[in-house]
Each structure stands twice: as C-alpha cells, then as structure tokens.
Amino acid sequence: MGRVSAIDLAREERSQLCDLLEQVGPDEPTLCEGWTTRDLAAHLVVREGRPDAALGILGGPLSAWTEKVQNDAASQPFEKLVRLVRNGPPIWSTFRLPWVDGQANIVEFFVHHEDVRRGSNSWKPRSLDPKLSDLLWDRLKLGGRLLFKGAKGGVILRRTNADEHEHKAKGGSPAVTIVGTAGELMLLAYGRSEVDVEILGEPEAVASFRQARFHVREDQDRPA
C-alpha cells in the first residue's frame, strides 16, 4: 500500500463531507452559527471558485460583497452545490494545484465535515485515520500559537492515544492544559464548542480560557 499524502486525506474528507451533505439535505444546522448545510456548501463553492469574494470571508470591508456572492451561490439547487464541491475547484483555481489542495484543504474540509456531523445533538467523535490525526497534530504544533492567541494565559495541548503527546502552543501564566485527540484539539482551536476535550488548570484560568475567542469562524463576522 502506498504512502497516504495530505492530498489524499484532503480529498477523502471532501468526499465524505459531500456524501454526508447529500444524506442530510440542505436545511440541517451546522456548528457554524446561522449556517445551514446549504450555506456551508455555498461557502465552499465561493472559497474555491470566486477569488474576488474570498478576501471577505473573514470579515472586513469586502464582507458585504462576499455575503452577496455567497447568497447567490446558495440560491442554486442544493444538488448542484454539492456536485460543485465534490468536483473540486475550477481548473484555473490555485486550489486545483495538488500541493495547495493538500496544504490548504485538509483542515478546511476536516473542520467543515465535523461542522455538519455535529450540527445535531446526536454526534459522537469518529475514529480518524492515524495519518490524518498525525497531520492535524503537526498543524497544531506549527500554528498553535496563532490559533490560541486569544487565550490570556498559556496553553498546553496534550494529545491522547499517541506517543508524542504534549506541546506548548502558547506561553504564559497561568496555563491550562487541553486534553483530547488531535482532531478534537483542532476543532477547539478553530472555535468549535461541540468538542470532546478536558480543560485542566486553576479554576480562574479555565474560566478565562473558556471565554476566550480563538480562530475566527467563517460565519462570525458576517453581516446580520
């Protein structure tokens, strides 16, 4: 069996997300507050196929234009939206480049796959491919300081079910230790609340951490 690459894993997450979208339909809730499954699919289409609107995804002066483009995308038949996501970016898109696909899409599609899975109360953590878990852990080690910059104190990540299991994502005092699998830790870093983690530390530090705002979700800065 050949080596599994980030590209392979990103494409597998894309495929599984599209399978799930087709299964649940266009009107189910997601972890992106205010977004249905239709909105999330439209976001993915715009992200990969409309570079003129992508700059406004995280807010700012271009957010109104992004909102309009995304609403236009969402007005299409849901089956078409899912097909566009499944087929991948247009041939001229930089996301079409294999290296970009693997680097830029693995976390994106993992997180959004879980956004759909955990949109209802019946979710439970899934068992991830060990290669995917390792890749997510590597991304956390590389970008943890930025992802957890909203925390006032230090943040130590303790990965369960792995040999290399602890990483200081952010220095500072008092520190909290977040215990969970690589997938659950990544979801927490991306601002998701429906996660299976344990937060250890002094009560005041834990309370402060819970109130902190981490990685901005795509929906958080959209106009009302």
Side-chain angles (χ1 to χ4, degrees):
M1 182 176 179
R3 179 174 177 270
V4 178
S5 68
I7 300 168
D8 298 324
L9 293 168
R11 291 175 179 173
E12 180 62 21
E13 286 298 300
R14 181 193 293 271
S15 177
Q16 290 186 26
L17 170 58
C18 290
D19 289 346
L20 183 57
L21 288 171
E22 289 178 342
Q23 176 184 333
V24 302
D27 301 316
E28 292 302 304
T30 73
L31 291 189
C32 295
E33 185 177 353
W35 276 9
T36 63
T37 41
R38 176 187 294 278
D39 297 317
L40 193 149
H43 155 72
L44 292 171
V45 170
V46 170
R47 173 180 175 268
E48 293 189 320
R50 289 294 301 268
D52 60 310
L55 291 177
I57 284 177
L58 295 181
L62 297 178
S63 60
W65 174 244
T66 299
E67 179 80 359
K68 179 184 183 305
V69 173
Q70 183 159 319
N71 286 341
D72 289 345
S75 68
Q76 301 178 80
F78 184 66
E79 294 78 9
K80 179 181 178 181
L81 280 175
V82 177
R83 184 170 67 252
L84 288 171
V85 177
R86 188 185 294 279
N87 290 342
I91 191 66
W92 46 261
S93 172
T94 56
F95 286 101
R96 196 79 179 183
L97 298 172
W99 185 88
V100 177
D101 186 11
Q103 295 300 310
N105 282 339
I106 182 60
V107 175
E108 176 82 8
F109 279 91
F110 167 74
V111 171
H112 284 321
H113 186 185
E114 293 301 321
D115 283 337
V116 176
R117 289 189 69 252
R118 303 181 189 212
S120 66
N121 294 326
S122 59
W123 70 271
K124 62 180 180 179
R126 61 185 164 120
S127 179
L128 301 183
D129 185 312
K131 294 290 196 312
L132 176 57
S133 293
D134 288 344
L135 190 149
L136 295 175
W137 180 244
D138 288 343
R139 294 294 176 85
L140 282 167
K141 290 191 295 180
L142 182 65
R145 183 176 181 182
L146 177 62
L147 290 170
F148 288 103
K149 67 179 182 179
K152 293 182 178 180
V155 178
I156 298 169
L157 305 178
R158 183 177 297 164
R159 179 188 178 190
T160 56
N161 301 325
D163 294 333
E164 183 186 4
H165 68 279
E166 195 161 283
H167 172 70
K168 181 187 288 187
K170 180 179 179 293
S173 180
V176 295
T177 298
I178 316 301
V179 183
T181 64
E184 299 302 307
L185 294 171
M186 180 62 79
L187 289 168
L188 179 67
Y190 269 70
R192 272 51 181 182
S193 57
E194 295 295 321
V195 292
D196 183 16
V197 300
E198 185 177 8
I199 305 175
L200 307 176
E202 295 296 325
E204 296 81 2
V206 172
S208 175
F209 180 86
R210 291 186 183 277
Q211 293 171 3
R213 188 175 188 230
F214 302 127
H215 186 279
V216 178
R217 297 197 306 266
E218 290 85 357
D219 62 295
Q220 285 179 323
D221 289 316
R222 294 192 308 154

